[in-house]
Amino acid sequence: MEAFVCGSGLVRSKNRVDRRGVSDLRMSASRREFMFSIAGVAIVNGLPKEASANVNLMAAKRSYFRYVPRIEEGINYYMLALSPAVNAGDWGKVSQAFVKTSVAREGSEKALNDIDPKTTILEREFFVPMRTWSNSFAEKGTSPKSRAMLVKVDAFEKEMDKLKKATKNQNQADASASWELGRTVLNEYIDIANKGLSRELRKLENLPEDAKSFQKIAKRPDTTF
């Protein structure tokens, strides 16, 4: 072991000095990391609230214009096609709501190879967009508003399952009851979604009790979102 005489006249091993040197380097690195972390927090906290709000609004708009038009198309179908079919006991038309079909373009590669996903109109226009839009209100994974909306999506799916069963059994009373409860749940979903919605976004309209008074929802203009 190589030794040397330090200023105080004491003999110390070079190995000890090396270990101290490594320790000093580690302490120095730790101090640098700490200072950088403090600086990072200061930068984040120093961002203008307006900038953060603008980012959140843009995300809300993208989600809104991606899923709300599909939900409104579903509402048009629910009120203008499904309602009269249920009231008339036209089980053939009602059952179309539960038939899985493809939305792939005719002649497309997916259609030709029969690999295109097949879904029902209820899945395409209600279940999927309603659930996805609900999740867009989540904050760090979840939020009270998101959870409340998802509860209504589950409730609506259950009513549509009951409608499917009533259609299979051609039970007019049960079919009408399930359709009406579905309308009620949709309105509850809409009420939750509209609460706190940005003024820059048009609120969804409730489904009237009298289906005959329902006015078809106009298609929203195309956007860049």
Side-chain angles (χ1 to χ4, degrees):
M1 179 184 298
E2 185 179 353
F4 69 97
V5 179
C6 63
S8 61
L10 297 176
V11 178
R12 295 182 179 177
S13 71
K14 189 173 182 179
N15 287 345
R16 287 187 180 180
V17 174
D18 290 342
R19 285 196 294 272
R20 283 190 176 184
V22 171
S23 178
D24 289 343
L25 287 173
R26 287 175 178 171
M27 290 178 65
S28 178
S30 297
R31 284 195 293 268
R32 285 197 301 272
E33 291 172 359
F34 175 75
M35 294 304 295
F36 284 139
S37 66
I38 293 297
V41 171
I43 291 172
V44 172
N45 290 338
L47 284 175
K49 292 183 178 180
E50 293 80 2
S52 177
N54 288 337
V55 171
N56 292 336
L57 179 58
M58 290 295 289
K61 284 183 175 180
R62 280 195 298 271
S63 180
Y64 177 92
F65 284 109
R66 183 172 297 174
Y67 301 111
V68 170
R70 290 169 59 184
I71 296 172
E72 290 182 332
E73 282 297 312
I75 291 173
N76 283 336
Y77 168 78
Y78 197 80
M79 299 298 290
L80 299 175
L82 191 57
S83 174
V86 170
N87 291 335
D90 190 338
W91 307 118
K93 286 186 178 180
V94 178
S95 63
Q96 290 301 308
F98 310 103
V99 176
K100 290 184 179 293
T101 58
S102 170
V103 293
R105 294 194 307 272
E106 186 177 353
S108 67
E109 184 177 348
K110 287 185 177 180
L112 292 174
N113 294 311
D114 196 28
I115 57 174
D116 50 319
K118 295 177 175 59
T119 56
T120 69
I121 189 171
L122 292 175
E123 290 171 330
R124 291 192 300 272
E125 310 296 353
F126 281 117
F127 304 158
V128 173
M130 285 175 68
R131 192 172 294 280
T132 309
W133 192 40
S134 300
N135 286 324
S136 73
F137 291 98
E139 300 169 0
K140 296 182 179 179
T142 185
S143 72
K145 180 172 183 176
S146 177
R147 290 193 296 271
M149 292 173 69
L150 288 171
V151 167
K152 299 306 176 183
V153 178
D154 290 339
F156 182 67
E157 288 189 14
K158 288 180 180 178
E159 291 306 324
M160 293 303 96
D161 285 341
K162 292 178 182 178
L163 176 59
K164 182 179 181 179
K165 182 178 180 180
T167 300
K168 184 177 181 180
N169 296 330
Q170 298 188 4
N171 188 317
Q172 180 76 50
D174 287 352
S176 296
S178 295
W179 183 93
E180 177 58 30
L181 287 173
R183 184 190 69 84
T184 300
V185 172
L186 284 174
N187 280 338
E188 292 171 347
Y189 176 91
I190 289 172
D191 289 341
I192 298 170
N194 284 340
K195 188 175 182 180
L197 197 66
S198 170
R199 293 181 179 179
E200 296 186 26
L201 302 174
R202 189 180 79 193
K203 291 185 176 182
L204 283 73
E205 297 181 6
N206 287 119
L207 287 64
E209 186 174 352
D210 181 8
K212 293 180 180 179
S213 67
F214 175 77
Q215 298 293 321
K216 183 178 180 179
I217 303 172
K219 183 179 179 181
R220 294 174 183 269
D222 293 334
T223 70
T224 57
F225 291 98

